[in-house]
Amino acid sequence: MTGKLLESGAISAFCSSVATMLAAGVQTDEAVHMLAENREQSEFKRVCDAVYSKVVEGSNLADAMEATGAFPAYATETVRVGEASGRTERVLRSLGRYYDSEGRAFAKLRNSVGYPAALLCIMSVILVFTVAIILPIFSSAYENLSGSMTSGSFNTVGASIAIGWVALAIVLVATVAALYVAICARNESGRDRVTKMLERYPGTRRAMYQLALSRFVSALSSLVASGVQEEEAMRKAMATIDHAKLQAKLQAAYDSMIDLENPRSLAQAIVEHEIVEPVYGRMLLMGTRAGSVDEVLGHLAQVFFDDANMQIDAAVDRVEPTLAAFLTIAVGATLIAVMLPLIGIMGSIA
C-alpha cells in the first residue's frame, strides 16, 4: 500500500488509459501492466504495479485500486459499481473526465495565486533592503548632524522611518498570506482550505459554486452511467462536495426524491430546487425523457467547469490591477521615506 493519494491528473490518466485498452479488447490485468510498462520509476508506476499484482492474484479492479490506498474512495466505489453492472469501461472513461476536470481546476487555482505571491516576494526583498539598509544610513547621518538640526528636521526623519516600516510591514503580511495560499494549493488538504477562503470572497464566490456544481454533476454522471439507482447516485455524489450553499440545496432535493408521499425524479428534484439554471434544467428533463441523462450530465459538468474557469480568470484580471496599485503605493511610500530625510538635512542646513 502506498498510503498516498495520486494527483487528480494521474488518476485521470489511469482511468482513461485503462478504459481505452478495455475498449480495444485488452484484459484488465494486461491493460494495467501495459500502463506501467516502460515507465521510469515513479509513484504512478508503483501504484500501477501494485494494482497489477492484486489483479493477477484474483482481485477485481476496484479491490485492487482500494488496496493500494492511492485512489479516492469515490473512484474505487464507482469502479466497483461499474464492474457489478458490466459497465467498467464506461465508468472508467467517465472518471477520467471527472478527474481531468478536477486537475485542471486545481492547476488554475495554483496559477492564479502563484503570480501575486512571486511579485510580492520580490517587492518584499526590495523593501527590506531599503528599510533595513538604506534608511539606517540616513539615520546615522542625522545623528552626526544632530547638533544643527531643528526639531522639524527630527520630525521629518522620524516620519520617514515610520513610513518605511509601515510599508514594509504591510507588504510582508500580504506576502506571507499569498505564500500560504500558494503552498496550500499544492496539496489536496490545503486546496480545501483555500477553496473555503475563496467561497467567502465576493469576487470568487460564484466561481467556487460553479466549480463545486461541476464536480457534483460529473460525479453524478459517473454514478448514473454505472447503473446506480438515482437516489443512491444522488446520495453518493453529494458526498464528493462540501460547498455549504450547494449542499443545502442538494439535501433538499434528495429529501424530495425519497419523499414517500410525493417522490420526485432526479431531474425534477434538481430543477425544482434550482440547483442548476432553468435552461440547463430543461436540458436535463429532456435527457431524462430520451434515456440519456448521464450524457446530458456529463455535458453540463463541462459547461459548469468552463463557466467557473471564466469567472476565475475574470477575478484574476481584477486582482492584478489591484495588486499593481498596492505595490505602486508601497514603492511610493518607501521612496517618500527615503526622500524625506533629505528634506530634513536641507532644513537643518538652512
Side-chain angles (χ1 to χ4, degrees), residues 49-341:
D49 288 339
V51 172
Y52 173 70
S53 299
K54 290 293 183 180
V55 173
V56 170
E57 292 173 1
S59 298
N60 57 34
L61 181 59
D63 290 340
M65 292 168 61
E66 185 177 24
T68 65
F71 296 90
Y74 162 68
T76 57
E77 190 62 30
T78 304
V79 172
R80 181 173 288 108
V81 173
E83 288 182 304
S85 60
R87 302 180 183 182
T88 306
E89 176 203 334
R90 190 174 182 179
V91 167
L92 285 171
R93 203 173 295 281
S94 180
L95 284 172
R97 291 193 299 267
Y98 168 72
Y99 282 104
D100 176 63
S101 296
E102 185 179 78
R104 286 188 287 126
F106 287 145
K108 174 74 69 175
L109 184 61
R110 280 197 302 269
N111 294 336
S112 64
V113 299
Y115 171 72
L119 194 57
L120 284 168
C121 285
I122 295 172
M123 195 63 226
S124 296
V125 172
I126 295 173
L127 289 181
V128 166
F129 177 78
T130 302
V131 174
I133 297 178
I134 295 180
L135 284 181
I137 293 176
F138 280 105
S139 297
S140 177
Y142 306 149
E143 291 175 1
N144 294 332
L145 294 172
S146 60
S148 58
M149 289 180 68
T150 64
S151 60
S153 300
F154 277 115
N155 292 337
T156 303
V157 174
S160 70
I161 295 175
I163 291 173
W165 281 107
V166 168
L168 176 60
I170 293 174
V171 172
L172 285 177
V173 170
T175 302
V176 170
L179 286 175
Y180 172 78
V181 174
I183 293 172
C184 286
R186 300 184 66 86
N187 59 75
E188 189 167 349
S189 60
R191 291 169 192 158
D192 293 338
R193 291 195 294 271
V194 173
T195 300
K196 289 294 184 184
M197 289 166 38
L198 295 177
E199 286 175 8
R200 293 190 290 269
Y201 177 62
T204 54
R205 187 177 298 158
R206 176 168 170 75
M208 292 301 102
Y209 179 87
Q210 290 295 95
L211 204 58
L213 183 58
S214 172
R215 184 174 188 176
F216 163 74
V217 173
S218 183
L220 190 60
S221 174
S222 299
L223 291 164
V224 172
S226 64
V228 178
Q229 293 295 321
E230 288 186 347
E231 293 83 359
E232 184 67 9
M234 183 71 164
R235 186 182 64 80
K236 290 185 175 181
M238 286 169 56
T240 65
I241 58 108
D242 56 0
H243 190 284
K245 182 179 178 181
L246 181 57
Q247 271 282 12
K249 288 186 176 183
L250 293 176
Q251 186 61 53
Y254 177 71
D255 291 341
S256 69
M257 292 175 65
I258 61 175
D259 186 356
L260 298 178
E261 296 182 0
N262 186 27
R264 315 301 287 171
S265 68
L266 175 64
Q268 289 173 330
I270 289 176
V271 171
E272 290 178 2
H273 289 85
E274 299 180 345
I275 295 172
V276 300
E277 296 177 13
V279 61
Y280 300 130
R282 287 193 293 270
M283 289 175 59
L284 189 56
L285 289 171
M286 289 187 291
T288 302
R289 296 190 188 102
S292 57
V293 64
D294 58 320
E295 295 178 6
V296 174
L297 287 169
H299 172 70
L300 291 181
Q302 187 61 48
V303 170
F304 298 145
F305 178 78
D306 292 340
D307 185 35
N309 271 344
M310 290 177 59
Q311 293 183 47
I312 291 173
D313 288 338
V316 171
D317 291 341
R318 290 193 296 270
V319 166
E320 289 182 357
T322 304
L323 180 62
F326 168 72
L327 293 180
T328 300
I329 293 172
V331 171
T334 307
L335 290 176
I336 292 174
V338 173
M339 295 301 295
L340 281 178

